[in-house]
Every structure is written in C-alpha cells, then in structure tokens.
Amino acid sequence: SSSDMAQGLATKVTFLPRVFAAIPAMSDDEQPTFETTESGASQTYPQQAGEIRKGSYLMIKGHPCKCIEISTSKTGKHGHAKAHIVALDIFTGKKYEDLCPSSHNLDVPFVKRTEYQLLSADPETGEVSLLLENGSCKDDLNLPTFVKVGEPTDEDK
C-alpha cells in the first residue's frame, strides 16, 4: 500500500540527516586534504630476483643489504627457477639469505653513498669533523665504538 511505502520513505528521509549531519558539505572544487608524515616518495623500487647481481642492493626481511652471492637453480619438470641470495646488511654487516622464484619481485632500496674528507678525529671523545662538498664542516658525528674484547676481524686490521 502507498501509506506503508510513504511511512518507510519518511523513516528513511528522517534517518539520513542524522547519519550525515556531522559531515560538512564540500563544494565541487574543494578537495579533502590528507596529512602524512612522509615525503610521499618510496624508499624502494621493485626488481626481479633473476636480475639481482653480485654487488646489487636489495631488501631482505626489512633490512637493506648488498648481495655478496647469488645462484639460480632450475627445479623439476614444471618447477620454476629459484634464486638463492646471500647478502650483508649495509649498516650492521649481518648476513641474510633469501630463496625465492627468479620471476619474483624484490624490493631494492635507493642507496645514496656519500664520502667525506676527514678533518680531525679526537681519540678521547670520539668526535670527528668532516669536510662537506660545499666547503662547510659536519661536526655532529662520532667514531664508532671499537670492540675491546676478542680477536680483531680482517676488517679491523
């Protein structure tokens, strides 16, 4: 009946304003603004595992690493080629391994390496002064702490 339909329509009409009352109206040319803490630029880009070479950078388990060894193997009649990657964390030197299909995309970090000329290093405090390319000094870094226990590694000698 039309009175039941009108009753249902009236209920819907009175219900909608309550739901949308808190949302301010936006004009057609007004766009919402989204706050973000990042610059919007990605810190990685995809690359196929089969294209990774010795010396390439890649992310393994969330760590930026440099590939030191890679081997590919063809598996079975219907299998896919697998890439076995061994890499070192570029910050800690810790070894990580990954085994994935050669066609699988891996995250590759954008790595920017900057070399500075050392002006001075204080052996007591560990403070260092570096010369930047523009001629100014960078004085906010300290020498890494050296291990006093155990045998020195080949890198320490």
Side-chain angles (χ1 to χ4, degrees):
S1 73
S2 63
S3 65
D4 288 341
M5 189 182 225
Q7 184 66 35
L9 186 61
T11 305
K12 287 179 185 170
V13 170
T14 54
F15 180 68
L16 286 174
R18 278 189 236 139
V19 173
F20 295 107
I23 300 172
M26 291 173 66
S27 64
D28 290 345
D29 59 343
E30 191 178 56
Q31 293 296 316
T33 56
F34 298 98
E35 300 293 329
T36 179
T37 55
E38 293 184 35
S39 65
S42 176
Q43 296 178 344
T44 62
Y45 62 94
Q47 186 174 9
Q48 281 195 339
E51 295 173 9
I52 299 289
R53 299 284 173 255
K54 192 173 176 178
S56 298
Y57 294 104
L58 71 149
M59 298 292 288
I60 298 181
K61 298 180 182 105
H63 298 274
C65 300
K66 185 174 185 176
C67 178
I68 56 169
E69 187 183 320
I70 184 160
S71 58
T72 53
S73 59
K74 188 78 173 159
T75 58
K77 187 174 182 181
H78 299 290
H80 298 281
K82 295 230 190 288
H84 178 244
I85 301 165
V86 181
L88 298 176
D89 186 304
I90 61 174
F91 296 116
T92 65
K94 187 175 175 188
K95 187 186 282 189
Y96 289 96
E97 292 188 45
D98 198 7
L99 184 65
C100 62
S102 301
S103 58
H104 181 73
N105 273 351
L106 296 174
D107 285 333
V108 176
F110 289 102
V111 177
K112 182 183 179 215
R113 184 184 177 104
T114 308
E115 291 191 13
Y116 299 107
Q117 186 172 352
L118 180 67
L119 294 175
S120 67
D122 188 331
E124 303 297 318
T125 63
E127 293 175 358
V128 295
S129 184
L130 305 170
L131 181 65
L132 301 177
E133 287 180 10
N134 65 8
S136 62
C137 291
K138 182 172 179 66
D139 297 315
D140 59 348
L141 296 176
N142 294 322
L143 286 170
T145 54
F146 293 101
V147 179
K148 303 285 189 254
V149 182
E151 294 296 312
T153 63
D154 291 339
E155 279 185 35
D156 295 337
K157 294 177 184 173

